[in-house]
């Protein structure tokens, strides 16, 4: 199963992605996480990427595509994968389509996580992240058991440098200008499944569980994904 998670920053792609991984048993590839890990290790590519993401801007297509291509060649992707944060531009989507065709594969579905603008700002400004295992929390909606500490690995939580008001504004603009056109792109290919992602994480997951089954993930899976498709 090859699944793409679409949606603005703060829509919950990462949170829902972790649940999808558990249910479907395929890896989640988050380009944002790859960049943060590379920057933390001091790699020149990571530091170059940071000069863009720290300001909320998208990293150039050529940089992202090379990384994704390399990651998809790993054997853990043989049984499928979930893309979180890629593609983010029409150019990236075109390249992905070609890349997959060369591998004899194709996307099974694209989940669009739709969230009201006010809700996005509240989520992003209160988000706290574990720099070690990438688990995410929210200061009020989903706090950790011990204040400031990750429930999973005990590391001190941080606020992402791009979760600041200035950066959030730029990221939402980048999404509207460069990523939102992908909604039409994938709707035209009958791949788009729209999700109301304003609620609580459990409710949101339940709302698209049946779509996952239809995409071939989980019990009673059928190969046809028709219900909920945006045409
Ligand atoms: P994310 O963790 O998905 O919110 O990504 C964090 C930042 O990494 C984004 O704001 C971008 O600067 C950069 N980034 C991640 N994925 C991509 C992508 N597919 N294309 C361009 N930039 C990306």
């Amino acid at each position: 199963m090859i699944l793409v998670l679409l949606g603005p920053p703060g829509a919950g792609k990462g949170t829902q992605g972790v649940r999808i991984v558990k249910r479907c048993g395929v890896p989640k590839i988050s380009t944002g996480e790859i960049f943060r890990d590379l920057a933390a290790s001091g790699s020149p590519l990571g530091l170059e990427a940071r000069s863009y993401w720290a300001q909320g801007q998208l990293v150039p297509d050529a940089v992202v595509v090379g990384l994704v291509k390399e990651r998809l060649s790993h054997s853990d992707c043989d049984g499928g994968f979930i893309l979180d944060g890629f593609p983010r531009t029409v150019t990236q989507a075109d390249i992905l389509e070609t890349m997959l065709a060369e591998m004899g594969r194709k996307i099974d579905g694209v989940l669009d996580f739709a969230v009201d603008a006010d809700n996005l700002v509240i989520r992003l400004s209160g988000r706290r992240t574990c720099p070690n295992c990438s688990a995410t929390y929210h200061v009020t909606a989903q706090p950790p058991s011990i204040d400031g500490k990750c429930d999973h690995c005990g590391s001190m939580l941080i606020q992402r440098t791009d979760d600041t008001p200035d950066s959030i504004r730029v990221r939402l603009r980048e999404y509207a200008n460069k990523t939102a056109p992908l909604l039409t792109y994938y709707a035209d290919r009958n791949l788009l499944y729209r999700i109301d992602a304003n609620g609580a994480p459990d409710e949101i997951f339940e709302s698209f569980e049946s779509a996952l089954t239809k995409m071939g993930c989980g019990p009673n899976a059928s190969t046809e994904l028709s219900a909920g498709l945006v045409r």
Side-chain angles (χ1 to χ4, degrees):
M1 184 191 70
I2 298 179
L3 195 59
V4 171
L5 309 186
L6 260 190
K13 300 185 294 296
T15 304
Q16 295 301 328
V18 171
R19 290 161 190 251
I20 302 170
V21 167
K22 275 194 197 141
R23 153 113 182 204
C24 305
V26 291
K28 175 168 83 79
I29 295 160
S30 157
T31 39
E33 267 170 34
I34 294 176
F35 286 136
R36 284 186 288 278
D37 288 348
L38 284 174
S41 73
S43 104
L45 192 65
L47 298 177
E48 185 197 341
R50 182 155 69 189
S51 67
Y52 294 93
W53 58 254
Q55 297 180 51
Q57 293 166 352
L58 291 188
V59 176
D61 289 335
V63 176
V64 189
V65 164
L67 281 176
V68 172
K69 198 166 194 172
E70 195 279 328
R71 180 63 186 85
L72 296 188
S73 69
H74 294 197
S75 59
D76 66 337
C77 294
D78 290 352
F81 47 86
I82 300 159
L83 290 171
D84 166 9
F86 181 90
R88 257 178 157 106
T89 64
V90 170
T91 303
Q92 291 179 16
D94 283 338
I95 293 172
L96 176 64
E97 201 168 59
T98 307
M99 208 190 288
L100 292 176
E102 283 168 4
M103 298 159 82
R105 312 181 79 170
K106 62 179 179 52
I107 294 171
D108 293 292
V110 176
L111 304 185
D112 165 34
F113 293 86
V115 179
D116 299 340
D118 291 353
N119 206 351
L120 287 178
V121 175
I122 293 169
R123 284 188 188 178
L124 288 170
S125 48
R127 179 161 71 178
R128 297 294 180 270
T129 308
C130 175
N132 181 44
C133 71
S134 300
T136 54
Y137 301 85
H138 189 276
V139 284
T140 52
Q142 202 191 344
S145 315
I146 301 173
D147 194 28
K149 274 197 171 180
C150 179
D151 290 348
H152 302 288
C153 69
S155 302
M156 293 305 290
L157 301 178
I158 56 160
Q159 181 170 30
R160 275 171 47 173
T161 51
D162 56 347
D163 278 345
T164 56
D166 280 351
S167 220
I168 291 170
R169 259 191 297 279
V170 180
R171 287 161 72 201
L172 293 176
R173 204 170 54 226
E174 288 277 80
Y175 177 80
N177 293 338
K178 298 181 181 167
T179 310
L182 292 179
L183 300 177
T184 311
Y185 182 98
Y186 285 121
D188 287 348
R189 285 160 174 73
N190 277 347
L191 288 171
L192 196 69
Y193 187 90
R194 214 165 264 165
I195 294 159
D196 177 353
N198 283 294
D202 285 346
E203 278 167 27
I204 298 167
F205 187 66
E206 275 169 28
S207 74
F208 67 86
E209 264 193 303
S210 62
L212 289 179
T213 305
K214 288 177 187 138
M215 280 180 234
C217 160
N220 309 318
S222 101
T223 50
E224 195 193 349
L225 171 66
S226 51
L229 277 177
V230 179
R231 292 180 195 277

